[in-house]
């Protein structure tokens, strides 16, 4: 045998070491593959969760956009109603001030057209004095001469006039 050629034992040991190294590398690759697979599964699960969350978020965003659109519509309607109400209030205030002016004018006209209370009282006294029954009562109380009536007789005549003109009440 030549010295330069390896012996069967050496060759066998070299092959065994190569096989052991190969098995170690294979088991290491299998561990790396398992870790990569686990990592991929975890990423896939997170991706599925993210997709579900994204879908829910999109649904929520769509719902909120619809609510915002409805709220805007309601706000526009409310603003229009408020404007109409404000316009109605302004018109009613104008009408109230117009009616107040008319009322003051009517009161002034009524006051101008109303007779003087003193004149009304004088007219009532004249009417009572023209009543025959009262004239006779007056003449009999003062002895027929109005100028000779005492203050008491005048007061008495006034009381009679009042009693005659008052409505009779049931006692």
């Amino acid at each position: 045998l030549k010295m330069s050629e390896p012996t069967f034992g050496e060759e066998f040991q070299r092959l065994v070491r190569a096989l052991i190294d190969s098995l170690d590398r294979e088991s290491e690759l299998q561990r790396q593959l398992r870790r990569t697979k686990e990592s991929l599964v975890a990423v896939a699960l997170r991706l599925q969760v993210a997709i579900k969350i994204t879908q829910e978020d999109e649904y929520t965003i769509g719902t909120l956009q619809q609510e915002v659109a409805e709220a805007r519509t309601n706000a526009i309607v409310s603003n229009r109603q408020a404007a109409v109400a404000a316009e109605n209030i302004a018109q009613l205030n104008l009408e109230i001030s117009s009616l107040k002016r008319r009322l003051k004018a009517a009161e002034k006209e009524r006051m101008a057209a109303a007779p003087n209370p003193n004149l009304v009282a004088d007219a009532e006294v004249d009417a009572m004095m023209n009543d025959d029954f009262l004239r006779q009562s007056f003449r009999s109380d003062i002895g027929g001469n109005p100028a000779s009536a005492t203050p008491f007789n005048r007061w008495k005549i006034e009381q009679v006039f009042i009693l005659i003109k008052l409505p009779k009440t049931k006692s």
Side-chain angles (χ1 to χ4, degrees), residues 119-131 134-135 161:
L119 296 176
V120 172
D122 289 344
E124 288 177 358
V125 169
D126 289 342
M128 283 191 273
M129 293 305 272
N130 288 333
D131 190 355
L134 291 178
R135 234 182 288 146
F161 288 150

Side-chain angles (χ1 to χ4, degrees), residues 7-35:
T7 63
F8 177 77
E10 290 174 352
E11 189 67 26
F12 180 74
Q13 283 182 355
R14 186 181 66 79
L15 284 175
V16 167
R17 272 187 255 128
L19 179 63
I20 290 173
D21 285 342
S22 173
L23 288 174
D24 286 342
R25 280 188 296 241
E26 183 184 355
S27 65
E28 181 63 32
L29 284 173
Q30 284 179 349
R31 279 190 296 256
Q32 285 179 354
L33 281 173
R34 256 185 265 126
R35 279 186 252 140

